Amino acid sequence: MGLLAAGTPLTWYDSRRYNEHVKTEGTEQLLQVMKAAANRDHDPLYWGDEVEYMLMEIDDTNCNTMLDVIDDKIITDLNTDDYQLCKDNNVEIHPEYGRFMVEATPGGPYHGLTNGHFVESNMVERRKIIDWKLNQYARRLSKGKRLSVLTMTSFPRLGASGKFLNIENQWDHKNSASRSLFLPDETINRHVRFPTLTANIRVRRGEKVCINLPMYKDKFTPEYDTSIHDREWFTPEDLESKLASKKGHVYLDAMGFGMGSACLQMTFQAPNIEKSRFLYDSLVNFAPIMLAVSAAAPAFKGWLVDQDVRWNVISGGVDCRTPFERSTEPILPKYNKNGLGGVSEEEQSKLQRIPKSRYSCVDLFLGGKNKHFNRTYNDTEVPINDKVLNRLLENDIFPFDYDLAKHFAHLFIRDPIAIYEESINQDNMTSTNHFENIQSTNWQTLRFKVPNQKAIPSNKSAPGWRIEFRPLDVQITDFENAAYANFIFLISEAILTLGENLNPYLKMSQVWENMHKAHSMDAIVKEKFYWKDSFTTETSSTSLLSINEIFHNNESGIFATFINPILMYRGLVNKEWQELQVSPNYQRLYYYLKVISDRASGKTVSVARFIRNFIISHPDYKQDSQVSELINYDLSLMFERLTNLDNANDEITALFGHSTAEYLTTTKLNK
Ligand code: ADP
Ligand code: MG
Ligand code: MG
Ligand code: MG
Ligand code: MG
Ligand code: MG
């Protein structure tokens, strides 16, 4: 997917009459896909990553860094005029939610470990191309201003008072899509899909979305979020904020705070559907653990917060559930009758209570024929769409087994939030449009990616069964992003190689708890997470372990159980990953593993802690948890230096430790 399809997405009130249609037809499309692709086998371990970038305008005269919402044509340009350049460099450019965002992936997937640094080379290439194009646009700027592309998970001043976008007069007109007190609609991708998603989520819910993040408490931190102000543009939305915000919390009220943050994702193809289910189940508990180890988001809306990651911000930012579904009272009962939001009258009696947002941790293990799975591991409350479940189980196209049917029947409790007028009628034998409408707006920590009807066993040109790993905050440097990507790749390859010699299962309720813990400040060194006592016995018993133990213990640690065995199996080491340090071809892989090992052991700090330390030790910081324009500007300059592996201020050393810094600054990446 490069450019978005043209078309007219319907507003909530026009689209909701088609909700049932989309679900019914989407279910039929899924059945056709299963019929075509269920028997695929021996697909290679293709994989790829996705990196999300932020475009920024840096004003060196006034010492302010703003998000660039002018140059989003970069996505069109790199997919048209400069398409060949991208193609020649195996780069693909995608749109994202934020108008200031770009997503980039390899043009074609990688196969296996490649030479250990191919992924990073590709990431470097992507950034170079984006940077090259931005430099062309930058010619319009007056002296002292420039454009920059950075991988920052959350832009600390998105939505803060003052100037955080590179446009004038952003508040001289209304922001009717989000109705946020803080984010103008110019933060949203211009393609009509995105403002429509934003508005439809709000209208279905019957209220603005609402995220209260605990404030980081410092000496002069105020008791309340002082940025909430009165306004009389929208009723009832403008009346909600004071009631919805909580003491001691930073209050966010728009999808853009979440979808406007950046992440790193990886997709892996398994040989067949059984193995992809097993890979999925095995990665379930890696998601919260790796989220904690990737933590890179300590500040939102101009405030330091008492948490380190973006996840719950997006989760809340796209939470379309009505108050009834969330089992809470509406903020303003007068405007949100019985807490039923924008749900149509006919549908109201069918509503169920739904414990989690459509953007959340995985809900169900997929099970399958592997000998370790049993249903008691799925021990949380997970509502399902009974109609979809029954159809998947009983039909003459492709009868599902219960556990896989339940997974999809759960996804199908969600309504479509953007239906295109032109796409209402689809041919279920060839299209997966309705199915993907529901599937791709269920944003979980993992996605079980389904092929299409063309993916019959003999057609190897169509992608097969894939698992997407989605929890990670994006890292500052290509080096780190490549490190995390390769790390998850090795774990996935280990899982596929060891197969049922591994028993990955624990209780889903413990995974949910881990997800919660992964948010806390300095979780890497302060929290304990549920982790299996053994992956090689039938036990499902877990213990609460520190991240250091989870990575480094001998019995069930990630290095001992997954990384060392797969490196030995590949013949790259005799016993331990540390041997790679002297490997002629895989030395860089050693540093990838080391960067993660060092963070997990607490030898070096997380990106979130690194940013937090930068902010609280900045001369302009007033111990009030606020991130000023000057601090934000200096932070972005530091990001630039790190991105360029410039160690003039010893920042590479501070982030990675001496030996990695020495390696990074003296070793050129071979392509
Ligand atoms: P989405 O946004 O839906 O996750 P993208 O196209 O942005 O999809 O990213 C998909 C990722 O999967 C890319 O990194 C791409 O290289 C990779 N990929 C493409 N084909 C395959 C395949 N057959 N198996 C595994 N990964 C693949
Ligand atoms: Mg993508
Ligand atoms: Mg996205
Ligand atoms: Mg993306
Ligand atoms: Mg993705
Ligand atoms: Mg996507």
Side-chain angles (χ1 to χ4, degrees):
M1 181 203 69
L3 293 170
L4 284 157
T8 323
L10 298 168
T11 66
W12 176 255
Y13 291 113
D14 289 332
S15 77
R16 65 185 184 182
R17 78 187 73 143
Y18 301 113
N19 287 350
E20 206 40 47
H21 169 78
V22 168
K23 292 189 208 183
T24 308
E25 300 302 300
T27 306
E28 297 308 307
Q29 293 173 355
L30 175 60
L31 289 171
Q32 294 301 337
V33 168
M34 281 302 271
K35 185 179 170 189
N39 293 323
R40 281 178 82 92
D41 205 353
H42 310 298
D43 283 334
L45 179 45
Y46 289 151
W47 68 289
D49 69 273
E50 298 163 70
V51 176
E52 293 174 352
Y53 304 81
M54 289 190 189
L55 310 183
M56 299 184 194
E57 181 176 319
I58 301 183
D59 179 345
D60 290 313
T61 312
N62 296 304
C63 297
N64 191 22
T65 298
M66 298 153 282
L67 292 167
D68 176 8
V69 292
I70 295 176
D71 295 301
D72 51 325
K73 60 180 180 291
I74 193 168
I75 292 160
T76 315
D77 286 350
L78 292 178
N79 276 285
T80 52
D81 295 354
D82 307 307
Y83 177 74
Q84 197 56 43
L85 172 79
C86 291
K87 197 161 186 268
D88 292 345
N89 289 285
N90 194 31
V91 167
E92 216 175 88
I93 303 290
H94 303 167
E96 253 305 326
Y97 180 89
R99 193 174 293 184
F100 50 86
M101 292 171 85
V102 172
E103 180 187 283
T105 67
Y110 320 119
H111 187 182
L113 185 59
T114 67
N115 61 6
H117 53 68
F118 188 77
V119 176
E120 185 179 351
S121 300
N122 188 269
M123 288 174 175
V124 168
E125 214 54 58
R126 283 176 238 170
R127 201 188 283 269
K128 251 199 223 158
I129 289 176
I130 298 168
D131 204 44
W132 165 78
K133 199 69 205 172
L134 277 184
N135 276 327
Q136 295 182 359
Y137 302 152
R139 288 180 203 139
R140 72 159 189 278
L141 297 173
S142 53
K143 210 165 158 257
K145 291 181 179 169
R146 60 210 164 81
L147 300 176
S148 194
V149 52
L150 297 173
T151 38
M152 207 180 253
T153 295
S154 71
F155 184 76
R157 288 189 54 82
L158 174 69
S161 61
K163 197 161 161 59
F164 63 92
L165 299 181
N166 63 342
I167 48 171
E168 303 298 329
N169 312 326
Q170 67 206 43
W171 290 121
D172 69 3
H173 53 278
K174 295 182 181 177
N175 52 343
S176 58
S178 78
R179 307 196 170 182
S180 166
L181 277 189
F182 316 105
L183 291 190
D185 283 349
E186 284 84 353
T187 50
I188 308 175
N189 189 310
R190 240 177 271 264
H191 189 288
V192 61
R193 171 180 172 80
F194 297 94
T196 307
L197 278 173
T198 310
N200 287 2
I201 286 171
R202 174 174 51 70
V203 175
R204 186 186 188 284
R205 179 178 165 103
E207 299 170 349
K208 283 191 293 185
V209 294
C210 163
I211 306 125
N212 280 296
L213 299 179
M215 271 179 196
Y216 172 75
K217 281 273 176 301
D218 209 337
K219 210 164 167 186
F220 304 115
T221 307
E223 288 200 327
Y224 287 91
D225 179 342
T226 46
S227 61
I228 303 165
H229 53 276
D230 291 317
R231 187 177 69 181
E232 291 180 2
W233 282 1
F234 303 107
T235 307
E237 289 84 357
D238 287 347
L239 303 171
E240 286 165 19
S241 301
K242 286 223 163 102
L243 299 168
S245 59
K246 287 198 209 154
K247 186 178 175 184
H249 289 72
V250 179
Y251 166 71
L252 312 175
D253 64 349
M255 179 169 174
F257 285 108
M259 284 293 179
S261 47
C263 71
L264 168 68
Q265 301 173 337
M266 273 78 66
T267 297
F268 304 98
Q269 181 167 267
N272 57 43
I273 188 170
E274 272 303 319
K275 289 187 175 155
S276 75
R277 289 169 74 166
F278 186 72
L279 177 59
Y280 182 100
D281 286 0
S282 303
L283 288 174
V284 163
N285 198 32
F286 278 92
I289 303 303
M290 290 308 299
L291 171 64
V293 180
S294 75
F300 289 87
K301 216 186 71 174
W303 299 85
L304 275 173
V305 293
D306 191 0
Q307 66 169 58
D308 275 355
V309 299
R310 81 197 187 293
W311 189 269
N312 60 350
V313 181
I314 321 189
S315 184
V318 297
D319 192 354
C320 64
R321 292 173 302 157
T322 63
F324 173 86
E325 289 167 321
R326 282 179 282 128
S327 306
T328 54
E329 293 302 313
I331 299 168
L332 294 163
K334 184 177 156 197
Y335 297 96
N336 194 349
K337 292 251 162 49
N338 303 316
L340 294 169
V343 174
S344 69
E345 260 173 49
E346 315 81 85
E347 295 295 317
Q348 287 176 359
S349 63
K350 299 182 205 154
L351 289 187
Q352 341 183 37
R353 307 282 182 178
I354 305 179
K356 278 157 73 252
S357 163
R358 62 197 299 151
Y359 195 114
S360 69
C361 178
V362 156
D363 287 288
L364 292 165
F365 290 106
L366 301 181
K369 296 194 185 106
N370 83 71
K371 66 180 183 199
H372 303 296
F373 174 71
N374 73 64
R375 278 178 201 154
T376 61
Y377 294 123
N378 284 328
D379 67 335
T380 57
E381 188 201 334
V382 177
I384 52 174
N385 181 325
D386 285 319
K387 197 178 140 197
V388 172
L389 181 73
N390 292 335
R391 177 65 186 159
L392 292 177
L393 291 174
E394 281 170 46
N395 65 79
D396 49 19
I397 303 168
F398 189 95
F400 273 65
D401 64 87
Y402 176 78
D403 299 295
L404 195 58
K406 189 172 176 189
H407 163 75
F408 288 111
H410 170 61
L411 303 188
F412 274 67
I413 63 169
R414 312 287 174 178
D415 281 340
I417 38 178
I419 299 175
Y420 287 71
E421 197 176 333
E422 296 80 1
S423 310
I424 290 167
N425 296 311
Q426 299 283 322
D427 177 359
N428 294 340
M429 305 303 286
T430 55
S431 172
T432 53
N433 194 295
H434 291 318
F435 167 73
E436 287 295 339
N437 189 328
I438 304 290
Q439 157 98 335
S440 71
T441 54
N442 267 277
W443 295 280
Q444 302 195 321
T445 41
L446 304 177
R447 181 174 288 156
F448 181 60
K449 285 186 170 175
V450 167
N452 60 35
Q453 296 90 334
K454 288 200 188 105
I456 53 172
S458 60
N459 179 11
K460 291 288 177 192
S461 68
W465 299 96
R466 287 146 298 146
I467 304 304
E468 184 179 24
F469 191 80
R470 306 169 43 82
L472 302 178
D473 278 359
V474 79
Q475 307 296 297
I476 304 172
T477 61
D478 295 323
F479 168 72
E480 292 158 282
N481 286 315
Y484 283 75
N486 278 300
F487 189 73
I488 302 298
F489 167 77
L490 285 174
I491 289 168
S492 299
E493 194 187 28
I495 291 164
L496 290 169
T497 305
L498 295 165
E500 288 182 50
N501 295 320
L502 289 171
N503 172 8
Y505 291 102
L506 71 166
K507 287 194 165 30
M508 185 57 78
S509 54
Q510 297 188 327
V511 178
W512 285 16
E513 271 191 62
N514 282 349
M515 196 62 191
H516 183 73
K517 292 158 182 266
H519 284 73
S520 46
M521 180 163 65
D522 299 323
I524 298 188
V525 284
K526 292 194 175 146
E527 285 288 354
K528 293 203 170 208
F529 296 84
Y530 293 103
W531 192 252
K532 290 210 63 171
D533 293 327
S534 163
F535 286 90
T536 51
T537 61
E538 260 331 290
T539 179
S540 64
S541 73
T542 55
S543 298
L544 280 169
L545 299 183
S546 68
I547 290 279
N548 186 27
E549 292 166 321
I550 289 172
F551 278 72
H552 297 118
N553 84 22
N554 280 329
E555 298 72 46
S556 61
I558 295 174
F559 281 99
T561 317
F562 297 88
I563 302 292
N564 291 338
I566 192 65
L567 293 175
M568 282 159 65
Y569 174 83
R570 280 177 162 276
L572 298 181
V573 302
N574 291 317
K575 216 167 137 226
E576 286 186 332
W577 64 273
Q578 286 89 340
E579 296 163 38
L580 291 171
Q581 187 173 10
V582 292
S583 155
N585 295 320
Y586 289 91
Q587 194 184 36
R588 204 163 184 93
L589 183 58
Y590 165 78
Y591 287 98
Y592 293 152
L593 297 174
K594 180 168 161 55
V595 95
I596 291 172
S597 170
D598 285 350
R599 283 182 185 169
S601 67
K603 265 189 209 148
T604 58
V605 297
S606 70
V607 172
R609 175 41 73 185
F610 194 72
I611 296 172
R612 192 185 299 277
N613 285 347
F614 182 87
I615 293 171
I616 58 184
S617 56
H618 192 284
D620 200 43
Y621 180 67
K622 303 191 176 58
Q623 291 177 277
D624 56 359
S625 310
Q626 307 252 10
V627 186
S628 66
E629 283 183 1
L630 181 61
I631 298 174
N632 190 61
Y633 166 77
D634 283 330
L635 180 73
S636 68
L637 298 195
M638 180 181 69
F639 263 66
E640 284 191 308
R641 289 189 294 273
L642 290 167
T643 305
N644 299 326
L645 300 179
D646 165 0
N647 201 21
N649 300 350
D650 288 328
E651 288 149 343
I652 299 281
T653 309
L655 184 57
F656 299 122
H658 277 287
S659 75
T660 304
E662 167 84 12
Y663 170 78
L664 279 179
T665 50
T666 55
T667 317
K668 269 244 171 296
L669 183 64
N670 304 313
K671 280 220 306 204

